[in-house]
Amino acid sequence: VGGTAGYHANVKVCLNELARFEAKTGYQLSYSNMNLTFFGKYMAHLREKGLAHNTIARYIKRLKLFLKHAARPDVGWSIYSHYEGFKFTEKSVPKDNLTEEEIQRLWELKFASNETGLEKARDWIVLVTQLGIRNGDWNKVKKENLVQVDGG
């Protein structure tokens, strides 16, 4: 049913984790009992797994998105809106940047001849840090988006 590949991946992650939760806790999942009691138990389940705060926040965000899209008034489907009370937000995390010295040390790393994969990964990391491109943005770069400039 419609949506982007990213949306479908998020739904899959959400459903897989809900299945693990149901199997571990025995909590019978249905739209009608996805309420604040469920939310508390699900949060405890995610914390017991040792997940980081922001990882849990992303699971909750996916769950809320899934439940929101599960309501389809256009075809007569409705669900309880208890999920709107599920509150758990991401924390701001400081970003660490590599220093010029660290980038240089990385560039100078020598690998064994059978470690060409590590060498290529190192080259990409150094290139991306020098260009100042975020990893998520770099993954979207396509050959047709690149333009050669004079002298380069």
Side-chain angles (χ1 to χ4, degrees), residues 111-119:
F111 297 99
S113 61
N114 65 342
E115 296 179 313
T116 56
L118 289 175
E119 193 172 276

Side-chain angles (χ1 to χ4, degrees), residues 55-107:
T55 302
I56 293 172
R58 284 189 294 277
Y59 273 102
I60 299 307
K61 182 179 177 181
R62 288 178 182 129
L63 174 63
K64 289 175 73 171
L65 180 68
F66 170 71
L67 291 172
K68 178 182 175 186
H69 287 165
R72 296 279 312 274
D74 58 319
V75 292
W77 298 352
S78 63
I79 64 167
Y80 297 89
S81 59
H82 301 298
Y83 70 89
E84 292 172 357
F86 300 172
K87 304 288 185 210
F88 198 80
T89 56
E90 292 187 36
K91 291 180 181 177
S92 177
V93 178
K95 305 223 182 319
D96 293 327
N97 296 315
L98 294 174
T99 64
E100 286 297 322
E101 294 80 26
E102 290 169 327
I103 295 169
Q104 187 62 39
R105 283 199 329 252
L106 184 60
W107 180 246

Side-chain angles (χ1 to χ4, degrees), residues 4-148:
T4 65
Y7 169 77
H8 289 288
N10 281 331
V11 168
K12 185 175 181 179
V13 166
C14 181
L15 292 176
N16 287 340
E17 192 54 46
L18 287 171
R20 285 190 286 273
F21 166 76
E22 187 175 39
K24 182 179 179 203
T25 64
Y27 191 92
Q28 284 296 112
L29 290 175
S30 68
Y31 289 125
S32 63
N33 72 2
M34 287 191 167
N35 51 30
L36 291 176
T37 301
F38 154 76
F39 182 65
K41 291 179 184 220
Y42 188 60
M43 290 292 296
H45 164 76
L46 295 174
R47 286 187 175 117
E48 285 171 10
K49 290 180 67 169
L51 299 176
H53 178 92
N54 285 351
T55 302
I56 293 172
R58 284 189 294 277
Y59 273 102
I60 299 307
K61 182 179 177 181
R62 288 178 182 129
L63 174 63
K64 289 175 73 171
L65 180 68
F66 170 71
L67 291 172
K68 178 182 175 186
H69 287 165
R72 296 279 312 274
D74 58 319
V75 292
W77 298 352
S78 63
I79 64 167
Y80 297 89
S81 59
H82 301 298
Y83 70 89
E84 292 172 357
F86 300 172
K87 304 288 185 210
F88 198 80
T89 56
E90 292 187 36
K91 291 180 181 177
S92 177
V93 178
K95 305 223 182 319
D96 293 327
N97 296 315
L98 294 174
T99 64
E100 286 297 322
E101 294 80 26
E102 290 169 327
I103 295 169
Q104 187 62 39
R105 283 199 329 252
L106 184 60
W107 180 246
E108 293 170 356
L109 275 177
K110 302 295 182 214
F111 297 99
S113 61
N114 65 342
E115 296 179 313
T116 56
L118 289 175
E119 193 172 276
K120 286 179 182 178
R122 185 244 0 243
D123 292 350
W124 281 111
I125 290 169
V126 170
L127 174 65
V128 170
T129 59
Q130 294 300 303
L131 293 174
I133 299 174
R134 292 181 348 167
N135 189 45
D137 293 334
W138 179 252
N139 291 334
K140 296 175 187 173
V141 172
K142 295 183 169 80
K143 187 176 181 178
E144 56 268 16
N145 301 121
L146 301 176
V147 178
Q148 185 170 351

